[in-house]
Amino acid sequence: MLESSPVEKELATLFAQILRARRHELGLSQEQVALRANIDRNHYQLMESARSDRKTNKAVNPRLYTLMRLADALEMPVEDLLHSVSEGYDVIRAHGQSLNDQDEF
C-alpha cells in the first residue's frame, strides 16, 4: 500500500482536531460519540488520532456515511464538520500542492 502524502496527513490532522474540539464542547467521551454514531470506539479513537489503522498509520479518510453519522453524533451539520478541512485544503492548493504531492509543505 502507498504511504499517505504529507497533504493527506495534514488534512487528516485537521479533521481529527475538529472531532476532538467538538466532542470537548459537548462534554462527551470518545465512547459516547462512537455510540451515538454507531461506530466502533477504536475506529473513532483512530479518527481522533488522524489515522485509519494502527499498523500502517495511514491518514484517516472516512466514508461519506461515516461522516454523516459523526456529524449527527456531534450535533452539527456535515458541512461544518468538513469546513475547516476544506479551508485547509484551499490553503494547500494556493501553495500549488495537491493530494498527490509527496513533498512537504
Side-chain angles (χ1 to χ4, degrees), residues 17-35:
Q17 291 169 349
I18 294 162
L19 291 177
R20 195 175 310 107
R22 182 62 180 162
R23 178 175 61 80
H24 285 288
E25 284 177 15
L26 295 173
L28 298 172
S29 68
Q30 289 179 334
E31 185 171 12
Q32 288 171 314
V33 173
L35 285 171

Side-chain angles (χ1 to χ4, degrees), residues 10-11 14 83-93 105:
E10 182 65 23
L11 294 176
L14 287 170
H83 181 74
S84 293
V85 178
S86 178
E87 284 182 337
Y89 182 61
D90 289 343
V91 169
I92 291 166
R93 281 193 355 221
F105 58 97

Side-chain angles (χ1 to χ4, degrees), residues 74-88:
L74 294 169
E75 301 172 10
M76 64 192 308
V78 72
E79 296 86 0
D80 291 351
L81 180 62
L82 296 176
H83 181 74
S84 293
V85 178
S86 178
E87 284 182 337

Side-chain angles (χ1 to χ4, degrees), residues 2-105:
L2 295 174
E3 174 104 9
S4 298
S5 74
V7 174
E8 287 174 304
K9 289 178 181 179
E10 182 65 23
L11 294 176
T13 299
L14 287 170
F15 180 68
Q17 291 169 349
I18 294 162
L19 291 177
R20 195 175 310 107
R22 182 62 180 162
R23 178 175 61 80
H24 285 288
E25 284 177 15
L26 295 173
L28 298 172
S29 68
Q30 289 179 334
E31 185 171 12
Q32 288 171 314
V33 173
L35 285 171
R36 285 179 169 201
N38 195 28
I39 60 175
D40 182 75
R41 179 181 51 85
N42 183 57
H43 182 60
Y44 181 77
Q45 288 173 332
L46 285 168
M47 283 191 277
E48 273 200 17
S49 297
R51 301 183 315 185
S52 63
D53 65 63
R54 296 189 195 286
K55 289 182 185 178
T56 65
N57 281 330
K58 284 191 61 122
V60 67
N61 189 8
R63 294 178 179 195
L64 180 59
Y65 186 53
T66 301
L67 290 172
M68 296 174 89
R69 291 184 303 184
L70 284 170
D72 284 345
L74 294 169
E75 301 172 10
M76 64 192 308
V78 72
E79 296 86 0
D80 291 351
L81 180 62
L82 296 176
H83 181 74
S84 293
V85 178
S86 178
E87 284 182 337
Y89 182 61
D90 289 343
V91 169
I92 291 166
R93 281 193 355 221
H95 287 93
Q97 293 199 317
S98 71
L99 288 176
N100 296 323
D101 290 341
Q102 295 295 318
D103 297 327
E104 292 290 337
F105 58 97

